[in-house]
PDB file of all heavy atoms in Angstrom:
ATOM      1  N   GLY A 261      25.641  -9.536 -49.088  1.00 86.00           N
ATOM      2  CA  GLY A 261      25.806  -8.588 -48.222  1.00 86.00           C
ATOM      3  C   GLY A 261      24.652  -7.580 -48.223  1.00 86.00           C
ATOM      4  O   GLY A 261      23.526  -7.995 -47.807  1.00 86.00           O
ATOM      5  N   PHE A 262      24.898  -6.323 -48.677  1.00 91.00           N
ATOM      6  CA  PHE A 262      23.797  -5.412 -48.727  1.00 91.00           C
ATOM      7  C   PHE A 262      23.808  -4.749 -50.132  1.00 91.00           C
ATOM      8  O   PHE A 262      23.454  -3.603 -50.340  1.00 91.00           O
ATOM      9  CB  PHE A 262      23.855  -4.358 -47.647  1.00 91.00           C
ATOM     10  CG  PHE A 262      25.235  -3.791 -47.465  1.00 91.00           C
ATOM     11  CD1 PHE A 262      25.656  -2.643 -48.108  1.00 91.00           C
ATOM     12  CD2 PHE A 262      26.150  -4.346 -46.586  1.00 91.00           C
ATOM     13  CE1 PHE A 262      26.860  -2.154 -47.828  1.00 91.00           C
ATOM     14  CE2 PHE A 262      27.314  -3.864 -46.406  1.00 91.00           C
ATOM     15  CZ  PHE A 262      27.878  -2.817 -47.085  1.00 91.00           C
ATOM     16  N   ALA A 263      24.300  -5.383 -51.071  1.00 93.00           N
ATOM     17  CA  ALA A 263      24.290  -4.877 -52.558  1.00 93.00           C
ATOM     18  C   ALA A 263      22.884  -4.900 -53.161  1.00 93.00           C
ATOM     19  O   ALA A 263      21.982  -5.861 -52.676  1.00 93.00           O
ATOM     20  CB  ALA A 263      25.266  -5.623 -53.361  1.00 93.00           C
ATOM     21  N   VAL A 264      22.625  -4.114 -54.041  1.00 94.00           N
ATOM     22  CA  VAL A 264      21.257  -4.127 -54.788  1.00 94.00           C
ATOM     23  C   VAL A 264      21.478  -4.337 -56.283  1.00 94.00           C
ATOM     24  O   VAL A 264      22.259  -3.613 -56.870  1.00 94.00           O
ATOM     25  CB  VAL A 264      20.531  -2.807 -54.488  1.00 94.00           C
ATOM     26  CG1 VAL A 264      19.183  -2.840 -55.238  1.00 94.00           C
ATOM     27  CG2 VAL A 264      20.321  -2.632 -52.975  1.00 94.00           C
ATOM     28  N   GLU A 265      20.749  -5.373 -56.882  1.00 93.00           N
ATOM     29  CA  GLU A 265      20.997  -5.611 -58.302  1.00 93.00           C
ATOM     30  C   GLU A 265      19.658  -5.292 -59.068  1.00 93.00           C
ATOM     31  O   GLU A 265      19.647  -5.419 -60.295  1.00 93.00           O
ATOM     32  CB  GLU A 265      21.250  -7.112 -58.457  1.00 93.00           C
ATOM     33  CG  GLU A 265      22.590  -7.516 -58.038  1.00 93.00           C
ATOM     34  CD  GLU A 265      23.776  -6.977 -58.855  1.00 93.00           C
ATOM     35  OE1 GLU A 265      23.490  -6.633 -60.004  1.00 93.00           O
ATOM     36  OE2 GLU A 265      24.960  -7.022 -58.379  1.00 93.00           O
ATOM     37  N   HIS A 266      18.583  -4.825 -58.321  1.00 93.00           N
ATOM     38  CA  HIS A 266      17.316  -4.645 -58.940  1.00 93.00           C
ATOM     39  C   HIS A 266      17.157  -3.415 -59.700  1.00 93.00           C
ATOM     40  O   HIS A 266      16.390  -2.420 -59.429  1.00 93.00           O
ATOM     41  CB  HIS A 266      16.203  -4.644 -57.883  1.00 93.00           C
ATOM     42  CG  HIS A 266      16.302  -5.868 -56.975  1.00 93.00           C
ATOM     43  ND1 HIS A 266      17.278  -5.899 -55.980  1.00 93.00           N
ATOM     44  CD2 HIS A 266      15.610  -7.030 -56.922  1.00 93.00           C
ATOM     45  CE1 HIS A 266      17.105  -7.024 -55.237  1.00 93.00           C
ATOM     46  NE2 HIS A 266      16.249  -7.742 -55.849  1.00 93.00           N
ATOM     47  N   HIS A 267      17.882  -3.178 -60.802  1.00 95.00           N
ATOM     48  CA  HIS A 267      17.836  -1.966 -61.623  1.00 95.00           C
ATOM     49  C   HIS A 267      16.968  -2.081 -62.996  1.00 95.00           C
ATOM     50  O   HIS A 267      16.858  -1.085 -63.628  1.00 95.00           O
ATOM     51  CB  HIS A 267      19.365  -1.643 -62.028  1.00 95.00           C
ATOM     52  CG  HIS A 267      20.306  -1.725 -60.950  1.00 95.00           C
ATOM     53  ND1 HIS A 267      20.069  -1.205 -59.634  1.00 95.00           N
ATOM     54  CD2 HIS A 267      21.495  -2.237 -60.815  1.00 95.00           C
ATOM     55  CE1 HIS A 267      21.091  -1.375 -58.921  1.00 95.00           C
ATOM     56  NE2 HIS A 267      21.981  -2.046 -59.555  1.00 95.00           N
ATOM     57  N   ASN A 268      16.448  -3.229 -63.180  1.00 96.00           N
ATOM     58  CA  ASN A 268      15.870  -3.546 -64.482  1.00 96.00           C
ATOM     59  C   ASN A 268      15.040  -4.892 -64.353  1.00 96.00           C
ATOM     60  O   ASN A 268      15.516  -5.909 -64.066  1.00 96.00           O
ATOM     61  CB  ASN A 268      16.882  -3.759 -65.564  1.00 96.00           C
ATOM     62  CG  ASN A 268      16.331  -3.814 -66.981  1.00 96.00           C
ATOM     63  OD1 ASN A 268      15.278  -4.326 -67.199  1.00 96.00           O
ATOM     64  ND2 ASN A 268      17.051  -3.306 -67.926  1.00 96.00           N
ATOM     65  N   ALA A 269      13.727  -4.629 -64.634  1.00 97.00           N
ATOM     66  CA  ALA A 269      12.753  -5.782 -64.351  1.00 97.00           C
ATOM     67  C   ALA A 269      13.058  -6.826 -65.335  1.00 97.00           C
ATOM     68  O   ALA A 269      12.817  -7.989 -65.128  1.00 97.00           O
ATOM     69  CB  ALA A 269      11.272  -5.259 -64.551  1.00 97.00           C
ATOM     70  N   ARG A 270      13.568  -6.539 -66.555  1.00 98.00           N
ATOM     71  CA  ARG A 270      13.842  -7.587 -67.542  1.00 98.00           C
ATOM     72  C   ARG A 270      15.031  -8.387 -67.120  1.00 98.00           C
ATOM     73  O   ARG A 270      15.055  -9.553 -67.266  1.00 98.00           O
ATOM     74  CB  ARG A 270      14.162  -6.945 -68.871  1.00 98.00           C
ATOM     75  CG  ARG A 270      14.397  -7.956 -70.005  1.00 98.00           C
ATOM     76  CD  ARG A 270      14.471  -7.386 -71.431  1.00 98.00           C
ATOM     77  NE  ARG A 270      14.642  -8.331 -72.391  1.00 98.00           N
ATOM     78  CZ  ARG A 270      14.707  -8.191 -73.621  1.00 98.00           C
ATOM     79  NH1 ARG A 270      14.405  -6.962 -74.168  1.00 98.00           N
ATOM     80  NH2 ARG A 270      14.822  -9.190 -74.551  1.00 98.00           N
ATOM     81  N   ALA A 271      15.962  -7.746 -66.489  1.00 98.00           N
ATOM     82  CA  ALA A 271      17.133  -8.428 -65.929  1.00 98.00           C
ATOM     83  C   ALA A 271      16.641  -9.416 -64.804  1.00 98.00           C
ATOM     84  O   ALA A 271      17.069 -10.510 -64.738  1.00 98.00           O
ATOM     85  CB  ALA A 271      18.203  -7.496 -65.476  1.00 98.00           C
ATOM     86  N   LEU A 272      15.744  -8.779 -63.925  1.00 98.00           N
ATOM     87  CA  LEU A 272      15.266  -9.682 -62.870  1.00 98.00           C
ATOM     88  C   LEU A 272      14.657 -10.954 -63.390  1.00 98.00           C
ATOM     89  O   LEU A 272      14.668 -12.007 -62.772  1.00 98.00           O
ATOM     90  CB  LEU A 272      14.331  -8.805 -61.978  1.00 98.00           C
ATOM     91  CG  LEU A 272      13.528  -9.558 -60.944  1.00 98.00           C
ATOM     92  CD1 LEU A 272      14.474 -10.060 -59.776  1.00 98.00           C
ATOM     93  CD2 LEU A 272      12.516  -8.584 -60.324  1.00 98.00           C
ATOM     94  N   GLY A 273      13.813 -10.694 -64.462  1.00 98.00           N
ATOM     95  CA  GLY A 273      13.131 -11.956 -64.882  1.00 98.00           C
ATOM     96  C   GLY A 273      13.995 -13.128 -65.228  1.00 98.00           C
ATOM     97  O   GLY A 273      13.477 -14.255 -65.137  1.00 98.00           O
ATOM     98  N   ALA A 274      15.228 -12.879 -65.538  1.00 98.00           N
ATOM     99  CA  ALA A 274      16.182 -14.060 -65.932  1.00 98.00           C
ATOM    100  C   ALA A 274      17.221 -14.228 -64.747  1.00 98.00           C
ATOM    101  O   ALA A 274      18.295 -14.684 -64.993  1.00 98.00           O
ATOM    102  CB  ALA A 274      16.910 -13.692 -67.226  1.00 98.00           C
ATOM    103  N   ALA A 275      16.873 -13.650 -63.520  1.00 98.00           N
ATOM    104  CA  ALA A 275      17.751 -13.746 -62.360  1.00 98.00           C
ATOM    105  C   ALA A 275      19.105 -13.122 -62.651  1.00 98.00           C
ATOM    106  O   ALA A 275      20.254 -13.558 -62.214  1.00 98.00           O
ATOM    107  CB  ALA A 275      17.937 -15.146 -61.873  1.00 98.00           C
ATOM    108  N   PHE A 276      19.018 -12.041 -63.501  1.00 98.00           N
ATOM    109  CA  PHE A 276      20.173 -11.192 -63.773  1.00 98.00           C
ATOM    110  C   PHE A 276      21.250 -12.030 -64.622  1.00 98.00           C
ATOM    111  O   PHE A 276      22.404 -11.398 -65.032  1.00 98.00           O
ATOM    112  CB  PHE A 276      20.769 -10.617 -62.620  1.00 98.00           C
ATOM    113  CG  PHE A 276      19.920 -10.025 -61.549  1.00 98.00           C
ATOM    114  CD1 PHE A 276      19.603 -10.727 -60.458  1.00 98.00           C
ATOM    115  CD2 PHE A 276      19.260  -8.878 -61.917  1.00 98.00           C
ATOM    116  CE1 PHE A 276      18.780 -10.085 -59.487  1.00 98.00           C
ATOM    117  CE2 PHE A 276      18.414  -8.292 -60.993  1.00 98.00           C
ATOM    118  CZ  PHE A 276      18.089  -8.936 -59.821  1.00 98.00           C
ATOM    119  N   ALA A 277      20.957 -13.065 -65.155  1.00 98.00           N
ATOM    120  CA  ALA A 277      21.733 -13.879 -66.012  1.00 98.00           C
ATOM    121  C   ALA A 277      21.995 -13.060 -67.318  1.00 98.00           C
ATOM    122  O   ALA A 277      20.983 -12.671 -68.059  1.00 98.00           O
ATOM    123  CB  ALA A 277      21.230 -15.220 -66.304  1.00 98.00           C
ATOM    124  N   GLY A 278      23.214 -13.078 -67.872  1.00 98.00           N
ATOM    125  CA  GLY A 278      23.539 -12.442 -69.225  1.00 98.00           C
ATOM    126  C   GLY A 278      23.399 -10.921 -69.151  1.00 98.00           C
ATOM    127  O   GLY A 278      23.472 -10.387 -70.311  1.00 98.00           O
ATOM    128  N   ALA A 279      23.078 -10.315 -68.081  1.00 98.00           N
ATOM    129  CA  ALA A 279      22.851  -8.769 -68.093  1.00 98.00           C
ATOM    130  C   ALA A 279      23.969  -8.008 -68.775  1.00 98.00           C
ATOM    131  O   ALA A 279      23.792  -6.950 -69.377  1.00 98.00           O
ATOM    132  CB  ALA A 279      22.422  -8.389 -66.716  1.00 98.00           C
ATOM    133  N   GLN A 280      25.239  -8.499 -68.531  1.00 98.00           N
ATOM    134  CA  GLN A 280      26.361  -7.774 -69.002  1.00 98.00           C
ATOM    135  C   GLN A 280      26.607  -7.944 -70.529  1.00 98.00           C
ATOM    136  O   GLN A 280      27.337  -7.136 -71.031  1.00 98.00           O
ATOM    137  CB  GLN A 280      27.588  -8.298 -68.262  1.00 98.00           C
ATOM    138  CG  GLN A 280      27.661  -8.241 -66.726  1.00 98.00           C
ATOM    139  CD  GLN A 280      26.803  -9.248 -66.016  1.00 98.00           C
ATOM    140  OE1 GLN A 280      26.493 -10.262 -66.607  1.00 98.00           O
ATOM    141  NE2 GLN A 280      26.501  -8.941 -64.790  1.00 98.00           N
ATOM    142  N   ALA A 281      25.880  -8.784 -71.158  1.00 98.00           N
ATOM    143  CA  ALA A 281      25.979  -9.048 -72.501  1.00 98.00           C
ATOM    144  C   ALA A 281      24.860  -8.389 -73.272  1.00 98.00           C
ATOM    145  O   ALA A 281      24.824  -8.590 -74.543  1.00 98.00           O
ATOM    146  CB  ALA A 281      26.028 -10.465 -72.815  1.00 98.00           C
TER     147      ALA A 281
END
Side-chain angles (χ1 to χ4, degrees):
F262 47 91
V264 179
E265 294 288 347
H266 310 75
H267 314 311
N268 186 322
R270 183 168 181 174
L272 172 62
F276 313 109
Q280 299 78 20

